Amino acid sequence: MSGTFVGMPVFPPPTHPAFPKAAHDAVNNQTLRGNLRHATHTIRAKREKAVTEVSDWAELREAGKRIKDHTLRHLDRYLVQLEESVTAAGGTVHWACDADEANRIVTRLVKETGESEVVKVKSMATQEIGLNEALEEEGIRAYETDLAELIVQLGKDRPSHILVPAIHRNRGEIRDIFAREMSEWGRPAPDGLTDTPAELADAARLHLREKFLRAKVGVSGANFMIAETGTLVVVESEGNGRMCLTLPETLISVVGIEKILPTWQDLEVFLQTLPRSSTAERMNPYTSMWTGTSDEDGPRAFHLVLIDNGRTDTLADEVGRQALRCIRCSACLNVCPVYERAGGHAYGSVYPGPIGAILSPQLRGTASEIDASLPYASSLCGACYEVCPVAIDIPEVLVHLRERVVQGGPVVREGNKVVLKPAKGHAAERAAMRAARWAFAHPGALRTGQRLASRTRRLHPRTLPGPGKAWSGTRELPQVPAEPFRDWWQRTNGGKDGAK
């Protein structure tokens, strides 16, 4: 093979700007906005139709929420059960506390096979830990086989959507990427390639087939893991995943610890809600399940790498932990007005959109500029909560994380309690909150302040001075009424003060 192997850029880049800056640049890209608008509107319209076909959708949603909450409460027990089940079925379980440890484990396992290349199923967990880059540093080539991930990899790009990583690309751009880059990665694109979906799919199929037939090592994630049997489940729409899961001699699955389900019966709920919420299909075209190894079929060696990478810290937060229910359906992205205009790259994470705005700051902390800004990347309209198949109250978590950012610290454990660590900065916000608390605790002072504000309302500025100018620059300040509510109540109720 000619050319230099280049993996996808690490996400987030070391100097990724805060969300407002990144979003400002994105909304000025008319092509990007057009691509996003067309794709998200199409997907969410199909999803709505698919969901309304199910008479017990609300009950399925509640069941999914309860199963996930139960599992998270007893995660320690189910993880041990999973390890025992996988081991009994002939697999090997590895535990990784963070991204570096997970990458070291996978790199070592690949090197032990003597191979220098792997084929990959679409996996957000491996993107989260930067596995492709870690393998590249050790001279191991990782080939993405999901069509959208292939587009992203060939274009030296970054994913911008959970379900459709190349949603920001149109057909013309994809054709140009294939024609320009495929020859550097393997079989070149056919001469005269057009931008019709059928031709693009055929070009990708021919390009990938030689890799499937040659590869000895496959790397995957998993949508679900069943503690009861040690079974892993991958759902997909193209069949590339099944090729990666069955043809190689060694299979390495890298999965977050929150993807576990207790029993087979629990899986039945999610096999109904996930396809309808993601691809608007009644069931996924390809649902692959494997339990350990077999001498007669599939890989001869199976390794499961369980990664924490911030999940235990997230689990300790009673409000924020509900983000770990996420089944990566992307329904919240497709209804979010902020995501539709800003696109996925503005979030600086492999988890964009509303779920990324609450998951990334918990997994990575809020010390960086981008992570501190993500909880504010929302209008709190609540559309994300309405479509979530496991009822994650994303607006509630966003507000909770904003509090953490203002207070300036991570969640820390003090004895049996989880508290927010106070910060040294944000003095203005803390002073304002203290003043408000004092006023609400002294009704007389509050009443006097309300009356004074009403009588001087004509003198009030239309915009705030100083740091407040940024806030009022995009909002109209509410007008103070001519009469406080307390005075109105007394006047219209015969002098009885019923608003104390």
Side-chain angles (χ1 to χ4, degrees), residues 16-261:
H16 196 283
F19 182 84
K21 173 61 169 61
H24 181 272
D25 295 340
V27 297
N28 289 321
N29 186 331
Q30 296 301 317
T31 300
L32 172 65
R33 292 189 62 177
N35 294 344
L36 289 171
R37 182 170 55 253
H38 172 74
T40 56
H41 284 224
T42 300
I43 295 172
R44 75 191 192 199
K46 291 181 178 179
R47 175 209 168 271
E48 184 177 0
K49 181 179 179 181
V51 167
T52 55
E53 294 177 351
V54 183
S55 60
D56 61 345
W57 181 261
E59 289 78 8
L60 285 170
R61 185 175 188 245
E62 181 63 22
K65 172 187 175 182
R66 292 185 179 185
I67 291 169
K68 280 289 191 176
D69 282 346
H70 167 80
T71 307
L72 292 172
R73 283 196 300 271
H74 304 283
L75 191 59
D76 53 348
R77 172 160 60 90
Y78 287 123
L79 284 171
V80 171
Q81 183 182 8
L82 175 71
E83 180 182 31
E84 293 171 349
S85 299
V86 170
T87 303
T92 304
V93 178
H94 309 263
W95 300 83
C97 66
D98 57 22
D100 289 340
E101 186 172 13
N103 289 331
R104 286 196 300 270
I105 292 170
V106 176
T107 301
R108 173 176 59 80
L109 292 174
V110 176
K111 284 186 171 182
E112 287 175 356
T113 68
E115 297 296 318
S116 60
E117 61 182 26
V118 302
V119 289
K120 289 185 63 195
V121 188
K122 179 175 181 287
S123 166
M124 302 201 73
T126 59
Q127 293 170 3
E128 174 191 326
I129 65 176
L131 177 62
N132 286 14
E133 294 75 28
L135 292 174
E136 182 183 347
E137 290 178 358
E138 297 296 326
I140 300 170
R141 297 178 174 181
Y143 296 113
E144 299 289 349
T145 65
D146 174 83
L147 177 56
E149 291 289 352
L150 174 65
I151 295 166
V152 170
Q153 187 176 48
L154 291 178
K156 302 178 181 64
D157 203 349
R158 301 192 301 268
S160 63
H161 192 276
I162 290 176
L163 177 66
V164 193
I167 196 172
H168 56 291
R169 297 290 193 183
N170 59 39
R171 292 184 302 177
E173 292 174 313
I174 295 169
R175 177 202 56 206
D176 294 342
I177 290 171
F178 280 9
R180 184 178 64 249
E181 302 293 340
M182 271 188 170
S183 60
E184 298 296 321
W185 292 72
R187 180 170 181 150
D191 293 335
L193 179 66
T194 71
D195 64 357
T196 61
E199 286 197 29
L200 294 174
D202 283 342
R205 187 177 296 111
L206 293 171
H207 178 80
L208 291 171
R209 186 165 295 165
E210 64 176 16
K211 293 179 171 56
F212 288 135
L213 296 177
R214 185 177 67 232
K216 301 296 183 182
V217 181
V219 175
S220 83
N223 294 96
F224 307 102
M225 302 180 291
I226 311 301
E228 181 180 43
T229 60
T231 302
L232 274 70
V233 183
V234 163
V235 295
E236 41 130 0
S237 299
E238 300 172 8
N240 295 333
R242 182 161 296 179
M243 300 283 279
C244 290
L245 296 169
T246 57
L247 292 179
E249 297 175 359
T250 299
L251 175 60
I252 304 169
S253 298
V254 183
V255 191
I257 57 176
E258 82 281 13
K259 293 295 188 70
I260 196 168
L261 298 176

Side-chain angles (χ1 to χ4, degrees), residues 142-401:
Y143 296 113
E144 299 289 349
T145 65
D146 174 83
L147 177 56
E149 291 289 352
L150 174 65
I151 295 166
V152 170
Q153 187 176 48
L154 291 178
K156 302 178 181 64
D157 203 349
R158 301 192 301 268
S160 63
H161 192 276
I162 290 176
L163 177 66
V164 193
I167 196 172
H168 56 291
R169 297 290 193 183
N170 59 39
R171 292 184 302 177
E173 292 174 313
I174 295 169
R175 177 202 56 206
D176 294 342
I177 290 171
F178 280 9
R180 184 178 64 249
E181 302 293 340
M182 271 188 170
S183 60
E184 298 296 321
W185 292 72
R187 180 170 181 150
D191 293 335
L193 179 66
T194 71
D195 64 357
T196 61
E199 286 197 29
L200 294 174
D202 283 342
R205 187 177 296 111
L206 293 171
H207 178 80
L208 291 171
R209 186 165 295 165
E210 64 176 16
K211 293 179 171 56
F212 288 135
L213 296 177
R214 185 177 67 232
K216 301 296 183 182
V217 181
V219 175
S220 83
N223 294 96
F224 307 102
M225 302 180 291
I226 311 301
E228 181 180 43
T229 60
T231 302
L232 274 70
V233 183
V234 163
V235 295
E236 41 130 0
S237 299
E238 300 172 8
N240 295 333
R242 182 161 296 179
M243 300 283 279
C244 290
L245 296 169
T246 57
L247 292 179
E249 297 175 359
T250 299
L251 175 60
I252 304 169
S253 298
V254 183
V255 191
I257 57 176
E258 82 281 13
K259 293 295 188 70
I260 196 168
L261 298 176
T263 69
W264 269 103
Q265 185 175 1
D266 299 323
L267 181 62
E268 179 264 344
V269 172
F270 299 100
L271 290 184
Q272 293 184 73
T273 56
L274 177 56
R276 283 182 167 85
S277 294
S278 56
T279 57
E281 295 169 301
R282 295 177 180 87
M283 64 181 293
N284 288 95
Y286 295 90
T287 300
S288 300
M289 305 181 187
W290 67 99
T291 306
T293 60
S294 169
D295 293 334
E296 300 174 353
D297 188 26
R300 300 295 182 266
F302 170 57
H303 298 271
L304 172 59
V305 182
L306 294 170
I307 58 172
D308 186 326
N309 204 38
R311 288 159 174 80
T312 299
D313 292 337
T314 303
L315 189 64
D317 187 333
E318 293 184 2
V319 177
R321 71 172 59 154
Q322 58 185 297
L324 296 178
R325 290 187 212 142
C326 178
I327 58 174
R328 309 292 192 266
C329 71
S330 76
C332 62
L333 281 70
N334 299 326
V335 299
C336 178
V338 176
Y339 173 85
E340 180 186 328
R341 289 158 178 80
H345 292 162
Y347 292 82
S349 169
V350 298
Y351 305 113
I355 187 61
I358 65 171
L359 186 59
S360 299
Q362 294 191 87
L363 296 182
R364 303 189 307 210
T366 57
S368 69
E369 186 179 24
I370 178 62
D371 288 313
S373 68
L374 285 179
Y376 297 91
S378 171
S379 64
L380 301 180
C381 70
C384 50
Y385 171 65
E386 295 299 325
V387 299
C388 178
V390 287
I392 301 172
D393 194 341
I394 293 178
E396 178 188 30
V397 183
L398 286 167
V399 173
H400 173 69
L401 292 177

